[in-house]
């Protein structure tokens, strides 16, 4: 498998240069086509309105604003794409969607992408649509998603990759989807944090995965770490710094999205504090 179609989503003119620029770098390195989806979001959720209350006027104002946002995002995205080398293959699609229909729209585009490149969904100025787009691509679109940090210096082919391995189905899916990048990397570190004493890999945590990857030509090794901090994400973040990693590969949402939204979880914690690109799959 190779990544031949990359998709990225732009919801504001302000983020277009960073998001499109990073996705374009990766598309060039992979000799892939870049599809850019520019979205204007109609955030009105009017279920009904009484005669004379002006509900129709409000809906039209919201739609006009969403269309203006979409056109602005498209202009910025096209400007960012034309600044890239001439051998970049790219296309732009511009759509207006209500918040409730965003998931279906993103999922449809994600299904036909080998990799979806998105900005970090949490942080200043990020609305609920960023998280909705991420989850739609992962769950309904069944696509691997590369989540960018706030200010990616560059997004090229990663040389040092860390895999967050916990023996879960989601982690295994992420590893398989990341194989094109894992094969190209100089080193791949399979990181196991506080493995269970009586688990299926108790005698050799990460060993079976390492063997599988080595047979694919991946230069893999295993690190078993103690859980020295309350949150798995904190231990993993420190290890990423120690390894000077370029990319983290991990499974997304091992628990339900509702539980992670309310109680927190490794997926949300890692995305909130991501300092480097994170490739996730479910």
């Amino acid at each position: 498998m190779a990544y031949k179609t990359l998709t990225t989503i732009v919801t504001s003119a302000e983020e277009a240069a960073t998001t499109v620029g990073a996705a374009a770098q990766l598309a060039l390195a992979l000799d892939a086509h870049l599809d850019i989806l520019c979205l204007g979001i109609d955030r009105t959720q009017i279920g009904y309105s009484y005669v004379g209350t002006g509900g129709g006027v409000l809906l039209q104002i919201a739609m006009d604003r969403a269309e203006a946002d979409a056109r602005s995002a498209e202009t910025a995205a096209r400007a960012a794409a034309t600044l890239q080398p001439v051998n970049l293959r790219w296309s732009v699609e511009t759509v207006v969607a209500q918040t409730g229909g965003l998931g279906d729209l993103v999922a449809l585009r994600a299904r036909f992408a080998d990799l979806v490149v998105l900005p970090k969904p949490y942080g200043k100025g990020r609305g609920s649509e960023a998280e909705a787009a991420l989850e739609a691509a992962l769950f309904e679109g069944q696509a691997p998603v590369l989540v960018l940090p706030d200010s990616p210096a560059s997004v090229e082919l990663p040389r040092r990759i860390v895999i967050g391995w916990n023996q879960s189905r989601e982690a295994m899916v992420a590893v398989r989807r990341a194989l094109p990048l894992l094969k190209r990397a100089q080193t791949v570190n399979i990181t196991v944090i506080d493995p269970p004493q009586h688990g299926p890999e108790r005698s050799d945590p990460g060993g079976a995965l390492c063997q599988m990857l080595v047979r694919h030509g991946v230069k893999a090794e295993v690190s078993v770490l103690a859980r020295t901090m309350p949150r798995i994400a904190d231990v993993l973040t420190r290890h990423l710094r120690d390894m000077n990693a370029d990319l983290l590969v991990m499974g997304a949402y091992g628990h339900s999205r509702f539980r992670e939204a309310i109680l927190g979880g490794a997926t949300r914690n890692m995305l909130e504090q991501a300092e480097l690109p994170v490739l996730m799959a479910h």
Side-chain angles (χ1 to χ4, degrees):
M1 173 189 166
Y3 301 132
K4 287 304 176 184
T5 301
L6 270 59
T7 295
T8 192
I9 299 173
V10 177
T11 58
S12 71
E14 291 74 23
E15 71 181 28
T18 301
T19 303
V20 172
Q25 274 189 301
L26 192 56
L28 286 165
L30 294 167
D31 189 27
H33 183 96
L34 176 62
D35 291 329
I36 306 169
L37 178 61
C38 297
L39 286 179
I41 309 298
D42 175 5
R43 295 176 176 82
T44 57
Q45 298 293 326
I46 298 177
Y48 61 89
S49 63
Y50 293 103
V51 174
T53 59
V57 174
L58 293 176
L59 286 172
Q60 187 60 50
I61 292 173
M63 182 60 71
D64 291 344
R65 183 182 298 118
E67 289 180 356
D69 290 344
R71 287 193 294 269
S72 177
E74 178 188 3
T75 299
R78 288 186 180 277
T82 54
L83 289 176
Q84 304 303 317
V86 294
N87 58 325
L88 174 68
R89 303 187 301 277
W90 59 279
S91 60
V92 174
E93 180 183 14
T94 305
V95 182
V96 172
Q98 283 195 319
T99 304
L102 178 62
D104 290 341
L105 175 64
V106 171
L108 181 61
R109 302 306 186 275
R111 287 189 194 117
F112 300 100
D114 297 315
L115 182 67
V116 177
V117 182
L118 296 176
K120 191 163 72 170
Y122 307 113
K124 185 178 180 181
R126 302 280 158 77
S128 59
E129 64 272 7
E131 186 176 17
L134 170 68
E135 293 184 355
L138 284 170
F139 285 83
E140 285 75 31
Q142 289 291 296
V145 178
L146 182 69
V147 181
L148 302 173
D150 285 328
S151 300
S154 64
V155 180
E156 300 174 346
L157 294 179
R159 295 173 296 168
R160 296 172 296 276
I161 300 176
V162 169
I163 298 173
W165 179 244
N166 61 359
Q167 307 172 35
S168 68
R169 169 195 172 278
E170 293 80 15
M172 191 72 246
V173 172
V175 170
R176 292 188 186 279
R177 298 294 182 86
L179 265 176
L181 296 178
L182 298 176
K183 290 179 180 180
R184 295 171 180 248
Q186 292 179 1
T187 60
V188 174
N189 183 264
I190 301 166
T191 302
V192 187
I193 300 174
D194 196 19
Q197 294 182 356
H198 305 290
E201 295 185 347
R202 58 187 180 277
S203 62
D204 186 19
L209 176 62
C210 186
Q211 181 183 71
M212 185 195 91
L213 292 178
V214 168
R215 288 173 178 170
H216 277 281
V218 177
K219 303 174 183 66
E221 61 183 17
V222 179
S223 294
V224 180
L225 307 179
R227 186 171 178 171
T228 55
M229 290 182 277
R231 302 197 310 175
I232 292 289
D234 295 329
V235 179
L236 197 50
T237 297
R238 184 174 63 185
H239 184 62
L240 291 168
R241 293 174 185 153
D242 292 341
M243 296 294 297
N244 194 24
D246 303 310
L247 175 71
L248 169 65
V249 174
M250 65 180 290
Y253 299 104
H255 301 294
S256 73
R257 286 171 284 177
F258 177 77
R259 176 178 173 181
E260 293 222 1
I262 302 300
L263 302 178
T267 303
R268 186 182 181 99
N269 293 339
M270 279 307 309
L271 291 180
E272 286 177 338
Q273 63 193 48
E275 300 172 351
L276 73 167
V278 180
L279 192 150
M280 315 185 94
H282 179 82

